[in-house]
Amino acid sequence: MTDNDRDALKGSAAATLVPAPDRTRWLALAIVMTAAFMDLVDVTIVNIALPSIQRDDHASVSQIQWITAGYALAFAAGLITGGRLGDIHGRRRLFLIGIGGFTLASALCGFAANPEMLVASRILQGGMAAMMVPQVLSIVHATFPAHERGKVFGLFGAIVGLGAVSGPLLGALLTEWNLFGLEWRPIFLINLPVGVLAWLLGRRFITESRAPKALKLDLVGVALVSLGLLMLLYPLARGRELGWPLWGYLCMAGAFVVFVALLSYEKRKAARDGSPLIELSLFQVKSFAAGIAVQTVFGVALGIFFLVWTLYMQIGLGWSPLRAGLTGVPFSLAVSTAAGLSVQQLVPRFGRKVLQAGALVMGTGVLLYLWEAHRYGLAIAPWQMALPLVVMGAGMGLIVAPLTDAVLSEVPREHAGSASGLINTVQQMGNALGLGLVSVLFFGEIPARLTREQTGPAFVHAFQHALWWVAGVMAVIFLLMSALPKRPAQHVEGAAGTGTEAAPEKEGEREGELVH
């Protein structure tokens, strides 16, 4: 046998040993993307229906806040744990538990008999989303070879953009149509057929995978985070209605004691078994610490704006859900367009300046909106809002897409997973905090008793007051961004950067271990 024959035989044997990519992987991708889309839409679809929920179910101000804040808080508290549970027990299994629970919680939301049941169901829905969402990218990593992931993440970006645009419109249409006399309830019930179908298909077509070396759970850390946030947010949401009682101030002060206890426990947990909920060593990286601050504060700004915006349009101006939903379309389109440009063209050339420009542009849009709301008052028209909304959306798009990349840029590669989970968690926590602050910054400017004639001017004034705070927050974000790296590492080092695709991936060394 010649050397050429031996080489040919070896090549043939190698070809038989390397498994062909699973042909069902694209169907599995469609299933997990559907779940991600459900979560994205569910966040935006609820905001547009809140005034209808308040009117039809006589919900209080704090209940309206907790319909959204409860979801964000449960989602934030469970995100890291959900990811670790998937690594330990199997991502497919946790995905199916998450989407099944999310669908059940959606049914409970849709058939809620009172505001209290709706709030509880939304908290359950957020907890189930925390089980479901972290598995999406993990399943992608375990199912797709490295050379296909760029295409997959491009599709994921398109799904995010579609969710941002379609959520408010879908919520407006379903609320406006009042299908079968169910009023706002179809915004939740629409998840039932989609969720059931995704669960059935996921059970059949998603391949099970686990992490070869999964971190342990930190349930004590989760409990302390949840307790601290609850002690901070609950008094903020209820304080105005209850006349700011002493126990509320004591509770908020106690929250900081809980957070100090959390840091102490996490330090001991890291020394004991190396699997804390929060990897404190990451905060020694200046850019990461600054980036976490940016994510948190940015979440606060978004939490404040989106809730007061929908209340301003529907209660203050008296617009229908459909008119309010259509008014937001220019904003969503601007976010999607600017996000694509920032990642593909601007950040590779200008680095951190793109993020800072985004903060300035978004802040300018907020001030422009403030000026127009003051100038036109109750007579303002949707087309007059278009310019400030486009400016705000463009600024937001310049921030949201490249921010995670910039925050992770100088993080050691072995901690990239923990850092990513923490980034998503703090943004949701910031969002929940912003929703809690609405009681102070927005409802605090509205008298307790209003006639119908007084409602419009009072809500317009409160909206302007809240916008001043949002503009101030954007200025803080701009300053914090100066601590981010001038250029994300992969743009400095090119193909040999520190990103997850820095080195060619060998077969069998994917992030997840496939379980057949």
Side-chain angles (χ1 to χ4, degrees), residues 40-108:
L40 288 165
V41 168
D42 206 74
V43 173
T44 54
I45 202 173
V46 172
N47 273 341
I48 205 73
L50 283 176
S52 299
I53 295 172
Q54 184 180 33
R55 182 184 63 249
D56 297 337
D57 278 33
H58 307 290
S60 68
V61 165
S62 64
Q63 286 167 337
I64 286 297
Q65 289 172 271
W66 274 99
I67 288 170
T68 48
Y71 182 97
L73 180 57
F75 189 34
L79 262 176
I80 294 176
T81 299
R84 290 186 184 174
L85 283 170
D87 290 342
I88 296 169
H89 298 292
R91 287 132 183 180
R92 172 180 172 271
R93 178 182 296 179
L94 262 292
F95 176 80
L96 293 176
I97 291 172
I99 198 168
F102 189 89
T103 304
L104 174 61
S106 297
L108 293 175

Side-chain angles (χ1 to χ4, degrees), residues 332-344 346 354 390-402:
S332 300
L333 292 175
V335 172
S336 299
T337 303
L341 286 173
S342 65
V343 171
Q344 296 170 16
L346 299 179
V354 176
V390 167
V391 175
M392 285 183 64
M396 182 175 170
L398 292 177
I399 297 172
V400 291

